[in-house]
Amino acid sequence: MGKIMVRCPQTGRSIETGMEMDAARFQRMPVFFSRAYCPHCRTYHEWFAAHAWVEEISDREDIALA
Ligand SMILES: [Zn+2]
């Protein structure tokens, strides 16, 4: 499983969309469109699946995600 991530258009930082999916499954999905809350801008950004990527979730707890 991985977390679906998108890039904030304002700050260029990565945002967690809150969705989780296998990378292989995500790549097979039809193009879709969603919104994600951006903690950097404190607002919602709309995003397309084509602009998103999957960040594999590690079991290691020493990886801190800002
Ligand atoms: Zn933002």
Side-chain angles (χ1 to χ4, degrees):
M1 290 291 280
K3 292 185 294 190
I4 310 300
M5 308 289 290
V6 292
R7 192 164 303 285
C8 169
Q10 303 298 323
T11 67
R13 298 171 73 176
S14 47
I15 313 168
E16 291 184 25
T17 63
M19 297 174 64
E20 294 185 2
M21 200 178 297
D22 288 321
R25 184 172 162 222
F26 179 72
Q27 284 161 10
R28 285 198 304 270
M29 283 190 66
V31 172
F32 66 94
F33 161 82
S34 188
R35 299 201 315 163
Y37 180 73
C38 177
H40 311 301
C41 305
R42 295 191 179 89
T43 187
Y44 285 87
H45 296 311
E46 296 180 338
W47 56 275
F48 286 99
H51 296 155
W53 70 93
V54 178
E55 187 169 292
E56 290 299 324
I57 296 172
S58 172
D59 292 330
R60 293 168 56 191
E61 294 186 355
D62 58 347
I63 299 176
L65 295 169

